Structure formats: C-alpha cells, structure tokens
Amino acid sequence: RKMTRAAGFFFASGAGLCAAGASIFAKLLFSVPETPAVLAEQELSVLFTSSHLWTERNVIEWIVLRLVWLLLTVLSNVFMLNCSSKALDLSENSVVPVVTTTATNFFTSAFSGQLLFGERLPLAWWGGASFLLIGMVLIHKSQAQSQPSPASIKKKD
C-alpha cells in the first residue's frame, strides 16, 4: 500500500509539472518575442508593410516555432491528463492527488515565471502559497496516518 501511495504522489506531481509545462509553452506560443526575426508587437501586420524587411525564411521560422510551441502545449496537456488519471486511480480519495497536482503546478509555474520570463510575485503571494504548501503537507500527513497498518490488516483476516 505504501508503494501505491508513493506512485500516486509521483503521478500527481508529474501531472502538476506537465500542467506547468503546458502553461509555459502556451505563453511562448502566444508571446511576441523581441528578436530580429520578429520585428514588432503586431507581428502579422508587419509582414505586409514595406518598411520592414521580412524574408520568407523569417516567416517560415516564425511559423515553425509557433507550431513547435503548440505541439509541446498539446503534448504537455496529454501527459498531464494521463498522469492525473493514474494518480486518481492509485488514490483512495480524490483530494490528495488533486491538491498535490495543484500545488506542484502552482509552485513550478511561479518559479519558471521568475526564471524564464522575469516575472516578480509580491510577498503576499508567497505568503498565500506557503499556506497552500502547509495544507498539502497536512493532507498528506493525515492520509498517511489514516491508512491501516499491515499488522492490523492481518489481524482482521
């Protein structure tokens, strides 16, 4: 039973990581990169003006990059749903895997937002996030304590 709980935690955490990955890829998909290949905030309208030097190669690179981000967004969501359903299947109730997935996604998104996009979160956000983490620990702890021990299961048989 302990192995099932560990596997459930693994899949729930994996679902949270995949969900965070999907949000990162979606942000990249819909962002406007500030690179020489993509010249302005209104990327598509720039394609049709003569004042900017868009080559066919730049347009193809832009489209291919967007397709890669789209594919990674879809694949991350597929893996997230797969991991989430496995975590729910391995758990005796739905609370633990849902809270674990949410917390993992929450913190991974926050850290990746800071590292990849330079986003800053206020101290109040981190205070609230710490309550989420404390709640997750308490739920996991109560779940572990409510599990019958192997000795008590043998006595019933």
Side-chain angles (χ1 to χ4, degrees), residues 75-114:
L75 285 175
S76 293
N77 278 304
V78 167
F79 287 127
M80 183 267 304
L81 289 171
N82 187 17
C83 286
S84 184
S85 65
K86 286 182 180 179
L88 286 167
D89 188 45
L90 292 170
S91 180
E92 292 183 7
N93 63 40
S94 62
V95 174
V96 174
V98 168
V99 170
T100 303
T101 299
T102 302
T104 305
N105 180 13
F106 200 68
F107 283 100
T108 305
S109 295
F111 288 122
S112 64
Q114 281 189 323

